[in-house]
Amino acid sequence: MSMNIYNGHSSSSSSTCVHSQNVYNDNNNISNNNNNNNYADGKPEKKIIKLQNLQTGQESTDRLHALSQSNRCTEHVCLGSIVSFPNTKAVSITCRPVEEVRSLAKDFFDQYYTSIKRYNSTSHVQRWEQVQAEITDTGTYNVTETELVYGAKLAWRNSVRCIGRIQWAKLQVFDARSVTTTTGMFEAVCKHIKYATNKGNIRSAITIFPQRTDGKHDFRIWNPQLIGYAGYRQSDGTVVGDPISIEFTEVCTKLGWKGKGTKWDILPLVLSSDGHDPEYFEIPSELILEIPIVHPNFEWFAEMDIRWYALPAVSSMLFDCGGLEFTACPFNGWYMGTEIGCRDLGDVHRYNMLEEVAIRMGLDIKNPTTLWKDRAIVELNLAVLYSYQRAGVTVVDHHTASESFMKHYENEMRMRGGCPADWVWIVPPMSGSATPVFHQEMALYHLKPSYEYQEPAWKCHVWKKGASQRDSSTGLSLRQNRKGARRKFHFKEIARAVKFTSKLFGKALSKRVKATILYATETGKSEMYARRLEEIFGHAFNAQVNRMDEYDIINIEHETLILVVTSTFGNGDPPENGESFAHSLYAIKMNQGLSMGAEDLSMASSKSFIKMNSQTDSVAAERRFDRNDSLKGSQISDIMSDDNLGPLRNITFAVFALGSSAYPNFCAFGRYVDNLLGELGGERLMKLTSGDELAGQDQAFRVWAAEIFQTACDSFCLDFDKNMADISAALKADTLSPESVRFLPVQAADDEVQALSKLHNRKVNMYSLVEKTNLHEKDTSRVTIKVVLRKRLSSETPLSYQSGDHVGIVAENRVELVDKVLERLGNKPSTDDEAVQVQLLQEKHTPMGVQKQWIPHERLPRSSLRVLLTRYLDITTPPRPNLILYLMRCTEDTTEQERLSSLAKDSDVYEHWKQCNWPNLVTILEQFPNVKPDATVLCTMLPMLQPRFYSVSSSPHAFNDELHLTVAVVTYKTRGGEGPTHYGVCSNYLNDIQVGTLVPCFVRSATSFHLPTDMSRPMIMIGPGTGIAPFRGFWQERKIMGNRKPGSRFGKMTLFFGCRTKEMILYRSELESLKKENILSDIFLALSREPSVKKTYVQDLLRREGDAVARQIMQEGGHVYVCGDCTMAEDVYQTLKSIVQERGMLNDAEVESYMLSLRDDNRYHEDIFGITHRTAEVHEKVRQTAMTRIESNYSLNNANVGK
Ligand SMILES: Cc1cc2nc3c(=O)[nH]c(=O)nc-3n(C[C@H](O)[C@H](O)[C@H](O)COP(=O)(O)OP(=O)(O)OC[C@H]3O[C@@H](n4cnc5c(N)ncnc54)[C@H](O)[C@@H]3O)c2cc1C
Ligand SMILES: NC(=O)c1ccc[n+]([C@@H]2O[C@H](COP(=O)([O-])OP(=O)(O)OC[C@H]3O[C@@H](n4cnc5c(N)ncnc54)[C@H](OP(=O)(O)O)[C@@H]3O)[C@@H](O)[C@H]2O)c1
Ligand SMILES: Cc1cc2nc3c(=O)[nH]c(=O)nc-3n(C[C@H](O)[C@H](O)[C@H](O)COP(=O)(O)O)c2cc1C
């Protein structure tokens, strides 16, 4: 179980060797299943080995052996029971010949790219070319961290002697290849021990130190295991301690170590780096978990003073990966009881306890037929299992381990076409035939990557000092024996040294654990939080941020820690850049592996899945394997079961979900990601946390970020305190100051189209405004306009779009707002119109000390301050608490400081202020007249001005060069109608600009809101207010198609439209003629505020027309399109559901499933604008809630004061 080659060795006699007679010719090639390491063009011999299970009679066939390159047995001799085949026998180590490196590297990369389904892909070819070039240049090469992780896991999977391989993919890999000194090695090993021990809840881990270069600069851990007991030979020939350690104990002693001379002295770590002579280090006692061995029934057991340690970590083997040799790579699993009970404590040449146990049991030890040894061994093993379980330390009994191995064996046969195994070692050292593995024939062969034996370090180390006076047996310099000849390091000293080196060499040493931060965003907040998280995690982890759609999902299996920050959009849907990730997770879930690409799946079927898994916690979610649970104690049956071994078993994760409680499906996408990562085997570091846009989102993020950072540090045993100061600084404020940001004057501003394209990651075009018409007939209090944009030049290629798509508009902030901001800023460029570049002062930690350099701001283009504030920066969204904190630092007025501090720090006060004033930057500057912000810092703190989306209101078949929009112009008064008028940025920009103005725009495809491919299907279009927008494109298209193909059969097209009064009917005359031309079969109009007409919504009309609606949906395969406000969409959905349930006589479950199937069939289409209808209402509700909270806090405080 422990991958422990020392203790698990079975002494059974028969083994099945790959060279046995069960080898047949086979016409099938090796299959290329998920996760197997057979590669696509592997040219195995077409041989199969038939392997029988003598208990069940089942036969399996092994084809995988054809990929084995080493052949240790001869044709006539099976060497299956030879314990060790050292990789390097000679004392002086020779390096691998370059051609061998190349060939093994080729094999490794073929396996790797096959496993990620990219065999022979461009990336495979390119990577292989790169590796070859590196080998040609240097004789060797480097693997990436992901390749290293893959190799380490695969080497475990290939470990023929390990019975615990069902866990092979759940291995924490610590990449310690940047370590250069023994001190660094010691620090990494201590971290490994702490992480893996995990207070008894053992976790499998490996730490990998630098690879062999020329054989003269090896890194080695001289200990056979990281933790082990010393063995002292006495003058009378007896041994105190563990006899297996006698030689190594002598090595330690000669290095200057002095053991106490007891049975249970923990040996020091002996480490050598870069070919240097070794140094020894005491392992801090608080890192070592030991278990006193007691018996459940025999009290005298305690008197025997037996103990053992919790962590079995093999440290002398060599990791052979892709031709590279990693000579120091300590790894651990957890103990199988027999390793301790039978071997460590029972073996005659070890602690040899059987006789004493038998005597204490009162057994007759003279007569072997009393089976005293067998009876004693059972009690000894029972005591071990009992003691470990009692102490909450992970241990597995040999029966459970054998069963799990059989499960693994079957999985491997199925998935990989073979499972190399050394029967001699797999069968436990006691009760062999009572375990299922005994009856299973196994094929023994060796695959790479692998873990290999190597000569003990003291036998092959080339000494640098005192080479002339070396002890012949240990090779150690005799001089080293003298007092003080070698230094003994203590943990505190090392800790100090590490701190010192960290300061000098940056934080690279401590950043060995990768933290991958994934975000999906629609309006930029999730990205902003993800970047702050990167900053925070960067203090202790190797933190990397990826946008979900740019993340290669293939890597997810090999991640360690994933932090997700995502919002929800539409009506419980992923943001656009989160969609592919949602589908990929779905694909993994469906396939429980990565073999199926997202493109193989029907998009439709994943839709209902996403909805289902995000709206409520699924049943499966209740069975999630939670980090908190796993930390509670070791339930070995859980750990060994298949259920926890989903494809993402190796990752730990946490999700921060952004959303708004104004929406019915609050934070649904974040919930979906959280559910799926859990169901796929990931361990949750913390429960899902949501950040409600309407209630302290920023505050929620700050609390979560601090907590998740601490939890992650704890979980990965990283020193949290050391980083605290940095982190709290990172959390408190975006740490920029006038000293670290500047404007650098430049020759010219960047081209706006290019700058906007880069900023929004879209191909932005300039279209000219050619028409703007108010669609309301009378001068009502509200304005809704038709906007027509046309490409500038006839030679230009028009933007390609389909009816139903969205147009993104990049607007400008209002001139008067920009002017008011400019007026108040300090530290501006010489003029507001001078072109400048915003630059940040970056600090780099180098071996030469901290170096500073100015670098351009990543996102802001070269531009004038005025244009930055007009076109690129968001000055109207209410300022975030962080910005308020900054403003607080920009005033000398103490009253203002206090008020600003309270606003920034008390989320109730903040929410109340925000909802009441809906303040923009100018509002707050006016409310705090002494605040004088620095222009440079402000530019880096303001969010980016986001494009606004509009459903395209034209068909490309009717208006190829044009984009039509239907825009509700947003104006409102704050403070419940008493405050100043606010103007929506984009709708007012479109309403205000002159014909001929160039408008930056782009098209965003809305694939799920296109016309049905089968035009004979009925279409029910529901869109009150501006929700009518996309339908105009639909009817235009239908009209043109009808004209082009007279006689074509089109399904019915029905429109449900709603508005306040008759004057507000949009496109009234167009609708009338469409009805006359029978392009629209029916138009149902719901008037909500028409005097003398009962308030009617579209849902009321749907209900009234229920029979026809149900018939079109249920019998005629019709499509439903809903567009506009989110609440309306949800109400409509519920209405349609009840219509379908009633007419179809379905029960609750049936109707639920029917409605989901409509989405799967791509017949239910939604296009959601937001909470437009309820904005004021929602704001008021949130304000009231915040008010109530503030008041109750106030009265509570007063009450307390009164006491
Ligand atoms: C996919 C999609 C398609 C869309 N299609 C269309 C379309 O075809 N036609 C259309 O008109 N719109 C459409 N929208 C909405 C559009 O994108 C903009 O949100 C809308 O035009 C407002 O933008 P703005 O810049 O003018 O206002 P902003 O500057 O963004 O201001 C709007 C914000 O002001 C606040 N606010 C609004 N009213 C009040 C109030 N009464 N009290 C307090 N605060 C308030 C709210 O926070 C609101 O979010 C669509 C949205 C999406 C997501
Ligand atoms: N200030 C302006 O000049 C101006 C102009 C147009 C739009 N707008 C803004 O833009 C937003 C959207 O405008 P719009 O033209 O698309 O829509 P709208 O005119 O606000 O509403 C369209 C119709 O939908 C109704 N409705 C409201 N809630 C509904 C629900 N849950 N289910 C079904 N129907 C519902 C409305 O009824 P009710 O009578 O109940 O509202 C109205 O009859 C509005 O919220 C408004 O803030 C502003
Ligand atoms: C058109 C639209 C639809 C939205 N739909 C939802 C939703 O279904 N559920 C939810 O919790 N939040 C919803 N939200 C709120 C956003 O998730 C919230 O504003 C979030 O803070 C945006 O984060 P982002 O900037 O990272 O995209 C929606 C917002 C908009 C504008």
Side-chain angles (χ1 to χ4, degrees):
M1 176 54 45
S2 57
M3 303 196 279
N4 185 340
I5 42 151
Y6 293 91
N7 299 323
H9 183 215
S10 159
S11 56
S12 310
S13 57
S14 78
S15 78
T16 308
C17 171
V18 73
H19 307 292
S20 73
Q21 66 279 21
N22 300 359
V23 181
Y24 301 87
N25 282 330
D26 175 29
N27 292 327
N28 302 321
N29 249 336
I30 291 177
S31 66
N32 195 18
N33 280 327
N34 171 48
N35 280 334
N36 77 27
N37 73 333
N38 313 330
Y39 31 92
D41 88 335
K43 297 175 192 72
E45 288 173 50
K46 293 187 176 177
K47 294 268 173 67
I48 57 168
I49 304 170
K50 296 217 162 164
L51 299 165
Q52 234 195 332
N53 186 307
L54 301 163
Q55 190 176 333
T56 62
Q58 264 177 1
E59 199 174 70
S60 50
T61 47
D62 189 299
R63 298 190 181 93
L64 184 63
H65 66 279
L67 299 180
S68 170
Q69 291 175 357
S70 73
N71 184 0
R72 287 163 184 177
C73 297
T74 70
E75 204 178 328
H76 303 292
V77 184
C78 169
L79 299 177
S81 74
I82 303 284
V83 174
S84 133
F85 289 86
N87 193 45
T88 322
K89 289 209 176 87
V91 168
S92 69
I93 295 151
T94 49
C95 311
R96 218 166 219 165
V98 172
E99 274 326 300
E100 195 182 327
V101 174
R102 197 186 299 275
S103 146
L104 288 167
K106 163 106 182 57
D107 177 63
F108 175 70
F109 284 101
D110 284 351
Q111 291 192 62
Y112 175 64
Y113 280 93
T114 302
S115 87
I116 59 170
K117 304 283 156 204
R118 304 256 168 105
Y119 182 80
N120 247 341
S121 63
T122 322
S123 52
H124 182 185
V125 173
Q126 278 172 356
R127 177 72 179 124
W128 177 231
E129 276 170 7
Q130 190 189 25
V131 169
Q132 288 198 82
E134 222 177 315
I135 295 176
T136 307
D137 284 355
T138 64
T140 185
Y141 71 101
N142 286 301
V143 283
T144 63
E145 193 174 329
T146 311
E147 290 157 3
L148 189 77
V149 172
Y150 166 77
K153 290 181 187 171
L154 193 53
W156 183 6
R157 192 183 191 183
N158 290 338
S159 295
V160 291
R161 292 175 172 178
C162 177
I163 193 172
R165 274 179 284 163
I166 196 163
Q167 290 274 335
W168 69 270
K170 196 166 175 62
L171 175 68
Q172 173 59 43
V173 180
F174 293 109
D175 181 358
R177 288 177 296 166
S178 60
V179 163
T180 52
T181 60
T182 45
T183 311
M185 288 179 81
F186 176 61
E187 190 212 356
V189 170
C190 287
K191 270 188 186 156
H192 180 130
I193 295 175
K194 198 170 169 197
Y195 171 86
T197 306
N198 191 26
K199 299 189 179 114
N201 193 1
I202 308 290
R203 299 182 279 199
S204 309
I206 182 168
T207 300
I208 303 175
F209 292 103
Q211 66 212 40
R212 172 169 287 158
T213 49
D214 56 2
K216 296 186 185 105
H217 295 84
D218 284 359
F219 285 69
R220 288 293 300 261
I221 295 176
W222 291 39
N223 311 50
Q225 291 192 36
L226 293 182
I227 299 172
Y229 295 117
Y232 308 97
R233 189 175 296 287
Q234 309 295 298
S235 50
D236 63 357
T238 57
V239 177
V240 172
D242 193 343
I244 206 171
S245 304
I246 292 175
E247 200 176 335
F248 180 61
T249 307
E250 278 170 21
V251 171
C252 297
T253 312
K254 285 185 176 151
L255 282 172
W257 179 74
K258 269 207 189 74
K260 290 197 184 100
T262 76
K263 278 203 291 189
W264 309 111
D265 287 355
I266 297 281
L267 286 159
L269 285 167
V270 178
L271 310 171
S272 57
S273 64
D274 206 19
H276 295 303
D277 291 347
E279 286 168 330
Y280 75 86
F281 300 79
E282 290 285 359
I283 308 175
S285 56
E286 64 270 24
L287 293 190
I288 299 171
L289 182 57
E290 289 181 284
I291 300 101
I293 307 297
V294 292
H295 192 279
N297 308 318
F298 302 147
E299 270 183 31
W300 47 261
F301 226 93
E303 293 162 17
M304 292 171 66
D305 179 29
I306 312 178
R307 63 170 82 165
W308 206 256
Y309 46 86
L311 188 73
V314 174
S315 49
S316 57
M317 291 184 89
L318 176 150
F319 170 38
D320 195 345
C321 178
L324 308 179
E325 295 172 296
F326 296 89
T327 47
C329 58
F331 55 77
N332 74 279
W334 51 81
Y335 266 122
M336 178 162 83
T338 52
E339 295 177 61
I340 307 166
C342 294
R343 309 300 317 283
D344 300 331
L345 301 176
D347 274 0
V348 176
H349 55 286
R350 300 291 301 286
Y351 277 85
N352 191 19
M353 308 289 315
L354 291 188
E355 209 173 288
E356 189 180 343
V357 172
I359 291 171
R360 285 182 183 259
M361 284 172 73
L363 304 177
D364 174 4
I365 64 163
K366 294 207 180 67
N367 184 357
T369 59
T370 60
L371 299 186
W372 64 268
K373 286 190 185 174
D374 307 63
R375 292 175 65 188
I377 214 167
V378 166
E379 298 307 335
L380 196 48
N381 275 279
L382 188 65
V384 168
L385 291 174
Y386 172 75
S387 307
Y388 272 61
Q389 280 165 359
R390 197 181 71 143
V393 176
T394 312
V395 70
V396 62
D397 66 89
H398 50 293
H399 298 287
T400 308
S402 302
E403 269 162 32
S404 83
F405 182 78
M406 289 309 297
K407 209 179 240 179
H408 170 68
Y409 180 87
E410 282 152 24
N411 287 348
E412 291 289 85
M413 284 303 190
R414 206 177 53 246
M415 312 262 292
R416 205 185 183 199
C419 178
D422 190 341
W423 192 98
V424 178
W425 284 66
I426 296 293
V427 172
M430 69 186 275
S431 318
S433 63
T435 65
V437 287
F438 182 91
H439 307 282
Q440 177 63 55
E441 291 183 338
M442 297 172 194
L444 171 59
Y445 47 92
H446 300 273
L447 301 171
K448 295 233 178 283
S450 60
Y451 296 110
E452 303 286 347
Y453 293 96
Q454 50 185 346
E455 207 69 44
W458 60 88
K459 293 204 171 150
C460 54
H461 179 73
V462 179
W463 289 87
K464 309 290 177 297
K465 289 182 193 156
S468 57
Q469 298 179 39
R470 268 192 271 122
D471 182 301
S472 55
S473 65
T474 60
L476 284 166
S477 164
L478 298 174
R479 278 195 295 135
Q480 283 160 350
N481 218 353
R482 288 209 315 267
K483 195 167 181 252
R486 301 241 22 116
R487 263 191 91 199
K488 176 178 168 181
F489 290 91
H490 288 284
F491 188 63
K492 276 192 184 139
E493 238 177 307
I494 300 301
R496 240 180 283 129
V498 170
K499 250 187 190 162
F500 178 68
T501 44
S502 310
K503 268 191 194 145
L504 275 184
F505 298 107
K507 290 158 190 161
L509 282 182
S510 56
K511 290 186 192 169
R512 287 183 201 114
V513 181
K514 189 173 162 212
T516 299
I517 300 163
L518 297 177
Y519 71 88
T521 186
E522 208 51 76
T523 60
K525 284 192 203 133
S526 302
E527 178 179 2
M528 182 187 71
Y529 288 144
R531 298 208 178 275
R532 284 179 70 192
L533 210 55
E534 180 190 25
E535 201 183 317
I536 294 161
F537 271 71
H539 290 276
F541 291 79
N542 170 12
Q544 290 170 16
V545 178
N546 291 276
R547 212 176 64 195
M548 282 184 185
D549 60 344
E550 288 170 354
Y551 175 73
D552 189 345
I553 191 76
I554 242 39
N555 292 326
I556 197 166
E557 267 186 282
H558 303 303
E559 297 289 359
T560 300
L561 170 60
I562 294 188
L563 301 164
V564 177
V565 183
T566 184
S567 63
T568 296
F569 237 65
N571 187 7
D573 300 319
E576 195 191 11
N577 47 34
E579 273 170 18
S580 57
F581 187 74
H583 291 302
S584 299
L585 284 187
Y586 168 72
I588 303 175
K589 173 76 187 162
M590 289 300 116
N591 206 38
Q592 285 286 303
L594 294 172
S595 70
M596 200 195 283
E599 66 280 5
D600 299 335
L601 288 149
S602 127
M603 291 280 284
S605 56
S606 60
K607 260 186 215 158
S608 63
F609 183 82
I610 295 173
K611 279 266 177 257
M612 212 160 49
N613 280 275
S614 57
Q615 285 173 357
T616 50
D617 277 353
S618 64
V619 182
E622 280 163 25
R623 288 179 45 242
R624 280 177 225 144
F625 189 51
D626 191 297
R627 184 68 161 195
N628 294 330
D629 297 340
S630 85
L631 289 171
K632 273 183 210 142
S634 50
Q635 288 297 321
I636 202 68
S637 50
D638 280 355
I639 299 170
M640 299 302 291
S641 93
D642 246 0
D643 295 351
N644 298 317
L645 298 177
L648 305 188
R649 69 192 94 166
N650 207 45
I651 64 158
T652 51
F653 72 93
V655 178
F656 184 77
L658 286 83
S660 159
S661 50
Y663 291 85
N665 296 306
F666 177 53
C667 291
F669 181 55
R671 224 166 23 219
Y672 167 81
V673 175
D674 184 73
N675 281 345
L676 266 266
L677 291 178
E679 282 172 26
L680 289 169
E683 284 185 31
R684 207 172 265 97
L685 260 184
M686 254 172 76
K687 288 201 164 28
L688 172 91
T689 305
S690 45
D692 185 352
E693 185 182 46
L694 298 177
Q697 192 176 67
D698 210 67
Q699 170 81 359
F701 173 77
R702 271 184 282 159
V703 172
W704 177 79
E707 277 182 23
I708 194 66
F709 182 66
Q710 172 147 22
T711 312
C713 286
D714 285 351
S715 180
F716 289 92
C717 303
L718 303 177
D719 186 0
F720 183 69
D721 293 345
K722 181 164 78 134
N723 302 301
M724 261 317 270
D726 290 347
I727 283 103
S728 44
L731 275 178
K732 264 193 208 120
D734 303 279
T735 44
L736 297 170
S737 67
E739 288 73 45
S740 54
V741 202
R742 71 174 184 190
F743 289 128
L744 183 77
V746 289
Q747 285 286 316
D750 284 335
D751 174 72
E752 260 183 22
V753 173
Q754 280 177 14
L756 288 171
S757 299
K758 183 169 164 236
L759 188 63
H760 301 300
N761 209 17
R762 311 268 184 181
K763 169 99 191 62
V764 171
N765 275 46
M766 285 292 190
Y767 263 42
S768 174
L769 179 76
V770 291
E771 185 193 326
K772 194 174 53 175
T773 319
N774 187 352
L775 292 169
H776 291 167
E777 283 175 1
K778 273 216 291 219
D779 190 16
T780 53
S781 58
R782 318 169 101 218
V783 180
T784 301
I785 50 175
K786 179 176 114 186
V787 171
V788 180
L789 302 172
R790 188 178 297 153
K791 65 174 186 153
R792 275 181 299 176
L793 307 167
S794 53
S795 56
E796 262 177 0
T797 317
L799 284 169
S800 149
Y801 73 96
Q802 290 190 45
S803 307
D805 283 347
H806 301 142
V807 180
I809 303 283
V810 192
E812 289 181 3
N813 288 312
R814 296 172 81 77
V815 178
E816 69 265 23
L817 289 185
V818 174
D819 284 344
K820 281 184 181 161
V821 175
L822 281 171
E823 261 171 38
R824 289 288 289 280
L825 299 183
N827 196 14
K828 294 194 290 182
S830 51
T831 71
D832 294 339
D833 299 305
E834 178 191 6
V836 289
Q837 179 176 62
V838 180
Q839 294 197 329
L840 308 175
L841 188 61
Q842 197 185 48
E843 282 189 4
K844 258 195 163 175
H845 296 260
T846 70
M848 315 301 294
V850 177
Q851 289 189 344
K852 295 185 174 187
Q853 70 184 101
W854 287 100
I855 51 157
H857 190 281
E858 213 183 320
R859 306 191 70 190
L860 290 174
R862 283 177 292 200
S863 180
S864 70
L865 179 58
R866 183 185 301 284
V867 174
L868 284 176
L869 290 169
T870 306
R871 187 64 103 188
Y872 298 104
L873 294 168
D874 179 352
I875 56 171
T876 57
T877 300
R880 287 184 300 121
N882 256 11
L883 181 57
I884 300 174
L885 270 185
Y886 169 67
L887 298 181
M888 187 187 80
R889 299 207 297 272
C890 303
T891 170
E892 310 263 285
D893 182 313
T894 48
T895 321
E896 284 191 351
Q897 282 173 351
E898 272 168 32
R899 282 175 56 212
L900 284 165
S901 166
S902 150
L903 267 186
K905 291 176 186 162
D906 185 329
S907 67
D908 285 341
V909 174
Y910 174 77
E911 286 306 332
H912 171 64
W913 171 75
K914 185 172 102 175
Q915 307 305 337
C916 190
N917 297 288
W918 205 250
N920 54 36
L921 186 59
V922 172
T923 323
I924 192 168
L925 291 178
E926 282 172 351
Q927 282 181 5
F928 297 90
N930 296 308
V931 170
K932 197 158 174 56
D934 185 280
T936 52
V937 178
L938 193 78
C939 283
T940 59
M941 293 199 76
L942 286 170
M944 296 291 162
L945 178 59
Q946 296 296 330
R948 307 305 200 252
F949 289 103
Y950 296 90
S951 299
V952 66
S953 282
S954 51
S955 155
H957 301 287
F959 299 96
N960 190 31
D961 297 346
E962 290 179 4
L963 298 166
H964 296 196
L965 315 177
T966 309
V967 179
V969 181
V970 177
T971 53
Y972 57 92
K973 281 187 189 299
T974 55
R975 292 187 219 135
E978 302 297 308
T981 304
H982 279 227
Y983 301 91
V985 176
C986 189
S987 54
N988 284 283
Y989 161 78
L990 290 170
N991 194 34
D992 293 346
I993 53 174
Q994 301 297 314
V995 167
T997 306
L998 293 180
V999 178
C1001 58
F1002 57 87
V1003 169
R1004 177 170 83 165
S1005 169
T1007 42
S1008 57
F1009 209 83
H1010 289 162
L1011 281 163
T1013 36
D1014 178 357
M1015 291 301 270
S1016 68
R1017 301 288 184 92
M1019 288 170 64
I1020 300 171
M1021 305 182 297
I1022 304 155
T1026 39
I1028 198 171
F1031 303 138
R1032 185 164 180 261
F1034 287 0
W1035 70 60
Q1036 284 180 355
E1037 188 138 346
R1038 184 63 86 77
K1039 186 169 174 178
I1040 288 195
M1041 281 173 146
N1043 289 343
R1044 278 192 198 150
K1045 294 188 203 162
S1048 315
R1049 221 179 68 78
F1050 290 113
K1052 275 184 152 212
M1053 209 179 193
T1054 310
L1055 175 70
F1056 287 84
F1057 175 71
C1059 56
R1060 291 181 169 183
T1061 60
K1062 281 186 187 146
E1063 291 83 24
M1064 289 179 157
I1065 300 176
L1066 305 178
Y1067 301 108
R1068 178 202 274 264
S1069 58
E1070 218 169 309
L1071 289 175
E1072 280 164 0
S1073 40
L1074 288 161
K1075 179 80 183 71
K1076 276 195 204 123
E1077 294 168 65
N1078 207 22
I1079 289 163
L1080 285 179
S1081 322
D1082 285 301
I1083 302 172
F1084 296 104
L1085 176 65
L1087 294 172
S1088 61
R1089 301 193 195 185
E1090 179 67 24
S1092 74
V1093 173
K1094 188 180 165 226
K1095 185 175 180 92
T1096 311
Y1097 278 171
V1098 281
Q1099 302 85 290
D1100 302 321
L1101 301 183
L1102 282 167
R1103 234 173 267 119
R1104 197 188 70 194
E1105 301 299 318
D1107 287 340
V1109 168
R1111 192 180 58 248
Q1112 290 185 22
I1113 297 174
M1114 301 180 81
Q1115 289 163 26
E1116 297 169 15
H1119 285 242
V1120 178
Y1121 291 85
V1122 186
C1123 179
D1125 173 87
C1126 185
T1127 327
M1128 174 278 300
E1130 192 60 25
D1131 291 349
V1132 165
Y1133 180 79
Q1134 296 302 337
T1135 306
L1136 288 173
K1137 197 165 98 178
S1138 68
I1139 291 173
V1140 164
Q1141 178 165 28
E1142 205 178 290
R1143 307 303 196 283
M1145 289 188 288
L1146 306 177
N1147 65 28
D1148 289 355
E1150 285 165 343
V1151 72
E1152 208 60 66
S1153 144
Y1154 183 83
M1155 294 305 282
L1156 286 171
S1157 76
L1158 281 183
R1159 289 187 202 270
D1160 278 352
D1161 297 345
N1162 220 10
R1163 290 204 289 131
Y1164 198 92
H1165 314 260
E1166 273 181 336
D1167 194 17
I1168 307 294
F1169 291 2
I1171 50 156
T1172 48
H1173 290 152
R1174 294 175 56 223
T1175 313
E1177 177 199 327
V1178 168
H1179 283 196
E1180 182 52 24
K1181 209 165 130 196
V1182 175
R1183 196 181 68 82
Q1184 289 295 344
T1185 317
M1187 266 312 280
T1188 318
R1189 263 198 312 240
I1190 293 172
E1191 273 160 17
S1192 67
N1193 282 347
Y1194 178 75
S1195 50
L1196 206 72
N1197 288 341
N1198 277 354
N1200 285 338
V1201 169
K1203 271 186 190 165

